Amino acid sequence: MPLTETHMTIMTPTPLSSGLYSVTTMRYFLHFLQLLSTCMAFFLVTRESTWSVDISNWSMFVWCFCFAVTLLTLIVELCRLQDKLHFSWDSFLTTSACYCALFCLSASIIYPIIYLQIFPDGSPRHHVIAATAFSCVASVAYAIEVVWTCVRTGESSYSLLGLLKRLEIFVACVIFAFLSNTYPHEHQPALVWCVAVYCVCFILGAVAILWHRCDCDESLPYSSLGFGQSVLSILLYTTALVLWPLYQFNEQFGGQPQRSNELSCIDKLTSYMCVWDQRLAVAVLTAINLLIYVADLVILTVAR
């Protein structure tokens, strides 16, 4: 009888250990897949010199940034440092994975649109396709981590407000990608102001989300923080919505109203999306993000 009790005592923790092992294995598998895919995308682009158009700076930044964040996360987990942090580690993982999924998705769309039109059939084109495939794998891996973490921790799906916050960040990132090849900012203070608006609103949105997701908002309610951020962002984006098209497409302010007169739009081999198209995309995305901020403010107002 004592032998049986001893045997039962030894076997009792086995299911718990097995559960912890499966959680750890799944998390490590996702992290290693994210590291491999982002690293391979970066390696394939640099190896075949398929990085020549300035707009691809965004894609390279995305892959390097996601690789660095994932590597740092993996090091923290391997060293068992997450228990010493003063915020929810699962919330941080969900937020960072959500950002990386959106970033890699934008790179997976922007990079092939530009380069598949430039390179003919051959090794560089094949490397572009392979890099895009690895970027898509990274997007899926990060998305799986978001869903898996939420399900494992028992969290519900993101609210409409949280979705709008992340959508604001994503649209701002796409704006940055189009801004990287326009180069008008050093001559026009109004356009410098527009770029500053995009940067400030992006930073405020990131801080608002991290403040909420990392459980750091005990002293300041998230509704108050989000309300102030939305009001300020609406005011700033309204100025950008007026100044950007005015100084980009009005001849009286040094703009170019006709696409056919833009030199970069004539040479099809230079870039699939010429500078004029990118400036127009920034104007449209500015209006879209302004509408998202307005909807965000409406929801916050009703919630209050």
Side-chain angles (χ1 to χ4, degrees), residues 20-215:
L20 292 175
Y21 178 77
S22 62
V23 169
T24 304
T25 302
M26 180 63 176
R27 177 172 290 176
Y28 286 167
F29 170 76
L30 289 174
H31 288 336
F32 281 120
L33 180 61
Q34 294 158 2
L35 289 174
L36 175 64
S37 54
T38 53
C39 182
M40 286 301 299
F42 177 86
F43 174 77
L44 288 169
V45 171
T46 56
R47 181 176 176 82
E48 283 292 328
S49 299
T50 54
W51 179 24
S52 57
V53 180
D54 295 317
I55 198 172
S56 66
N57 292 344
W58 168 249
S59 300
M60 300 294 283
F61 165 77
V62 163
W63 297 325
C64 293
F65 173 80
C66 294
F67 179 88
V69 170
T70 306
L71 181 61
L72 179 62
T73 300
L74 185 60
I75 292 174
V76 170
E77 291 183 336
L78 289 175
C79 298
R80 307 287 184 178
L81 300 177
Q82 60 267 35
D83 295 334
K84 300 180 180 180
L85 301 176
H86 299 289
F87 55 83
S88 173
W89 181 247
D90 287 329
S91 296
F92 171 78
L93 288 177
T94 303
T95 302
S96 61
C98 184
Y99 279 135
C100 289
L102 293 175
F103 290 170
C104 288
L105 179 61
S106 66
S108 302
I109 296 173
I110 294 174
Y111 183 76
I113 285 179
I114 299 298
Y115 284 98
L116 288 180
Q117 303 295 328
I118 297 176
F119 295 105
D121 291 335
S123 181
R125 185 181 178 88
H126 295 161
H127 279 72
V128 170
I129 296 175
T132 304
F134 277 110
S135 184
C136 292
V137 171
S139 303
V140 174
Y142 284 115
I144 291 176
E145 182 180 0
V146 173
V147 176
W148 178 76
T149 303
C150 290
V151 172
R152 184 180 59 82
T153 57
E155 295 182 2
S156 60
S157 59
Y158 291 143
S159 63
L160 178 59
L161 181 60
L163 178 61
L164 290 176
K165 292 291 185 184
R166 284 159 179 81
L167 188 58
E168 293 161 3
I169 297 294
F170 179 71
V171 174
C173 292
V174 180
I175 290 176
F176 291 145
F178 288 119
L179 284 176
S180 62
N181 198 32
T182 53
Y183 303 117
H185 320 307
E186 64 272 13
H187 303 298
Q188 296 288 356
L191 297 179
V192 175
W193 167 259
C194 294
V195 176
V197 165
Y198 303 137
C199 295
V200 169
C201 293
F202 174 83
I203 294 173
L204 290 177
V207 171
I209 293 178
L210 291 175
W211 191 286
H212 173 61
R213 295 300 301 176
C214 295
D215 299 334

